[in-house]
Amino acid sequence: MQLHTREWGTGDKVAVLIHGIMAGSECWWRVGPALAERGYRVVAVDLPGHGASPRAESYPVELMASSVLESVPSSPALAIGHSLGGLTLAAAVDRLAPGRAVYSDPAFRLSVLEGGVAMTDGFAAAKDWTAEQIAAMHPGFSAEEVAVEVEMLKGWDPQTALSLSKIVGTDFTPSTAVPSLVQIADPSFLVAPAFAEELKERGFEVRVVKGAEHTIHRHLFEDFLSGLNGYI
């Protein structure tokens, strides 16, 4: 599937950005220009079922990964994936072959909540959230971030979340064939402390961004960037 992309900068080195569930390429509205100032040509995708990209009947991880591979330059200097984007990058990283990989609070392992419900099933209810509901859910968001979230939800197919329930319990942790950073929220509902220690043992560099909610790059932008020192 050919994806819609958004670009910043004209540098000789390429950075690929992959957003999380319910979002779109516009969620990188501050990250893209910041990387462009550092000499990158930045390419951010709208994943299948998000933004201006095509829809499908279902959204398996391989559709996400193969669509990214079809839509961005190969062997970029840098690839960053957040949440579902981290999962997608994990599935694509060996074929994408970036110089460095950053997984920001990634969904390598989706779990089941109390009562046996997949954590992703509840996401579909967010499709019609108002600005007031978004602000209450993300008290650290600026008014600009709330407005971006409202617009991104308009372009989101909730079936993407329902499709993810089929992979709950599967481990998508990638290899560390390229220098790999896992950046973690504080606390993280996706990367528990024991999992973080496991990732370290498997060769990942792991950094916690103190006080950050799940969408680190949108909540604490400057801390997100400084947390990538050595990778950008």
Side-chain angles (χ1 to χ4, degrees):
M1 180 184 292
Q2 185 69 41
L3 302 178
H4 175 262
T5 61
R6 184 185 306 264
E7 296 195 17
W8 297 269
T10 57
D12 294 332
K13 53 186 180 180
V14 173
V16 170
L17 306 180
I18 312 173
H19 65 80
I21 193 77
M22 299 186 283
S25 56
E26 58 262 57
C27 80
W28 303 106
W29 66 280
R30 288 188 289 180
V31 177
L35 292 179
E37 289 178 359
R38 288 165 168 79
Y40 288 93
R41 171 193 167 204
V42 184
V43 182
V45 299
D46 287 342
L47 286 172
H50 296 76
S53 286
R55 274 40 181 166
E57 291 185 5
S58 64
Y59 299 91
V61 173
E62 180 53 30
L63 173 65
M64 302 283 185
S66 62
S67 297
V68 169
L69 292 166
E70 184 178 339
S71 306
V72 304
S74 61
S75 302
L78 171 68
I80 303 175
H82 168 251
S83 194
L84 172 61
L87 168 59
T88 301
L89 178 57
V93 69
D94 289 342
R95 290 169 286 173
L96 183 62
R100 298 173 303 284
V102 174
Y103 303 93
S104 185
D105 219 34
F108 292 161
R109 297 175 181 172
L110 293 172
S111 61
V112 175
L113 303 176
E114 290 184 15
V117 177
M119 66 163 56
T120 53
D121 287 356
F123 294 170
K127 170 67 176 175
D128 298 317
W129 276 359
T130 64
E132 291 73 21
Q133 288 173 301
I134 293 166
M137 181 61 68
H138 302 281
F141 272 18
S142 66
E144 289 171 295
E145 287 291 2
V146 171
V148 167
E149 186 78 0
V150 169
E151 289 303 309
M152 292 192 299
L153 286 174
K154 292 177 182 177
W156 172 55
D157 181 359
Q159 186 60 42
T160 58
L162 299 176
S163 294
L164 290 175
S165 65
K166 300 174 183 177
I167 63 168
V168 165
T170 305
D171 185 358
F172 286 92
T173 306
S175 70
T176 53
V178 302
S180 301
L181 169 66
V182 176
Q183 186 188 60
I184 305 177
D186 178 33
S188 171
F189 66 85
L190 289 173
V191 184
F195 187 22
E197 290 303 315
E198 180 183 333
L199 290 171
K200 292 177 185 177
E201 293 172 359
R202 292 170 71 160
F204 292 88
E205 184 168 359
V206 177
R207 300 177 185 172
V208 176
V209 179
K210 295 296 183 183
E213 68 151 72
H214 174 57
T215 48
I216 302 169
H217 61 292
R218 302 177 64 195
H219 177 216
L220 297 177
F221 170 66
E222 296 295 342
D223 293 337
F224 167 80
L225 280 185
S226 63
L228 302 185
N229 285 344
Y231 283 82
I232 60 173

